[in-house]
Amino acid sequence: MVAKRWVGGVVGGVVVAGVLAGCSTPPAPPAAPGPTSGPQVRATPQVTEARPNRNSPAPEDKCPEGGVRLVETGGDAAMGLRVEGFQLVNCGTEPYVLEGYPEVSLRDSRNDPLEVTVEHGAEGITTGVPNIDAAPARVTLAPGQAASWSVVWRNLVTDATVTATTVPVLEIAPRPGAPRLWLRLARPFDLGNTGKLGIGPWTAATR
């Protein structure tokens, strides 16, 4: 606080001195004009164009190529068992038909592929997860509608010599030949060293 009052006093002193000087000293002559001949050169600002990273998730405020968006909806965790839910939203203008399961790829923080086994259903992981063990069916999404699907895994470390795997990025193809979608997970998959993930089929969702 003392330093601030001292600076204010100095500034005030300078202002007063300037006023007094203005009363007794004639104003300085105007600066000489610059050269008027020869070409005028204007500095051109350097602009660096940001190029999209093809190995990155698309912005959430833009409907991705293909007309659908992947959304994380949350899940449950109990005694090392994890279940996480997702929705695929038709943000386009045409109906979107799904059948069976999404094609899933898991990636690390640098967007490099992870070696994880992805299987249909929860067999070998757990039992009693109806939305994951349900039979696949055909689902047609009108614009604005969504389809759900879920994943299940166990967070177990059974071998201290094997590094535990964490999955921060999910990549899927909703149907064969469709553009792939990327999603940086709010709740990364903590697979331990099981190296295994079970996925459920597409089901109609209510939004």
Side-chain angles (χ1 to χ4, degrees):
M1 295 299 293
V2 175
K4 290 184 178 180
R5 289 197 298 270
W6 179 81
V7 171
V10 172
V11 172
V14 172
V15 172
V16 172
V19 172
L20 293 177
C23 296
S24 59
T25 303
T36 57
S37 60
Q40 295 183 354
V41 179
R42 294 184 178 181
T44 302
Q46 294 184 353
V47 178
T48 301
E49 181 181 357
R51 297 185 178 182
N53 182 357
R54 296 181 62 86
N55 292 335
S56 297
E60 293 186 2
D61 59 348
K62 181 181 179 182
C63 189
E65 180 186 5
V68 288
R69 176 184 292 114
L70 183 62
V71 180
E72 188 174 0
T73 58
D76 297 312
M79 299 296 292
L81 181 66
R82 309 283 196 262
V83 178
E84 193 74 14
F86 299 88
Q87 285 190 351
L88 187 77
V89 183
N90 183 353
C91 54
T93 59
E94 301 292 335
Y96 197 92
V97 179
L98 297 165
E99 191 166 5
Y101 301 81
E103 181 183 326
V104 175
S105 177
L106 307 176
R107 296 181 177 269
D108 62 18
S109 59
R110 297 177 299 180
N111 297 333
D112 294 330
L114 290 167
E115 294 185 5
V116 175
T117 300
V118 178
E119 297 183 350
H120 295 170
E123 184 177 358
I125 299 175
T126 188
T127 57
V129 188
N131 56 335
I132 291 181
D133 288 325
R138 185 183 179 92
V139 179
T140 300
L141 305 179
Q145 291 185 331
S148 295
W149 65 290
S150 299
V151 302
V152 62
W153 72 94
R154 284 195 179 276
N155 176 23
L156 294 178
V157 177
T158 57
D159 187 347
T161 64
V162 178
T163 303
T165 299
T166 299
V167 181
V169 178
L170 175 67
E171 179 195 13
I172 74 163
R175 60 188 183 186
R180 303 185 73 84
L181 301 172
W182 295 68
L183 182 64
R184 192 164 297 278
L185 299 170
R187 293 156 50 104
F189 302 162
D190 52 347
L191 302 181
N193 56 26
T194 61
K196 187 176 182 179
L197 186 78
I199 67 172
W202 294 113
T203 60
T206 303
R207 287 176 57 85

